[in-house]
Amino acid sequence: MKKRKIPLRKSVVSGELFPKKELVRIARSKEGKVAIDPSGRMPGRGAYIALDPKEAQAAWDKKILDRVLEVKLTDAFYEELLAYVTHQKARKELFANE
């Protein structure tokens, strides 16, 4: 049986490559609307960050997503992103041994 290739993506914060499942995608639509994309399938320009609250905080502090997605993001969006990443990381650790 052939081993499936794990899709890797680069975090826009650290520049490191991670398996796609360990990242969260942030998508910008043609209309300029930015949203967290848990499915990874939303149309538009995508940027990935690791499921790590420190990385979400760094993205916020340095406004990295504003630059990568060429859009002005609100603090409310970054707060939502930070909460989402923190929640997903906790969930992942909770179900890690299943």
Side-chain angles (χ1 to χ4, degrees):
M1 213 169 134
K2 214 167 95 174
K3 199 169 174 238
R4 282 186 53 206
K5 210 172 127 215
I6 298 167
L8 294 175
R9 296 291 180 271
K10 188 184 276 190
S11 163
V12 294
V13 178
S14 66
E16 282 180 74
L17 284 172
F18 292 95
K20 205 171 157 186
K21 279 190 170 78
E22 290 174 27
L23 297 163
V24 60
R25 181 174 185 259
I26 294 95
R28 186 198 75 213
S29 69
K30 282 191 187 79
E31 296 79 45
K33 190 168 174 355
V34 176
I36 296 167
D37 178 11
S39 69
R41 291 188 177 86
M42 281 166 78
R45 177 105 178 85
Y48 292 88
I49 72 161
L51 279 176
D52 183 348
K54 282 192 220 86
E55 208 156 288
Q57 189 64 56
W60 187 357
D61 294 342
K62 297 177 184 146
K63 300 281 187 212
I64 292 170
L65 293 170
D66 297 49
R67 205 169 54 238
V68 173
L69 297 172
E70 296 163 358
V71 69
K72 181 90 185 84
L73 293 168
T74 62
D75 283 347
F77 175 81
Y78 279 109
E79 280 170 26
E80 185 190 342
L81 179 64
L82 189 59
Y84 176 83
V85 167
T86 305
H87 175 78
Q88 288 301 323
K89 187 174 192 230
R91 240 181 119 229
K92 209 171 159 185
E93 285 163 6
L94 201 65
F95 297 112
N97 50 11
E98 281 185 18

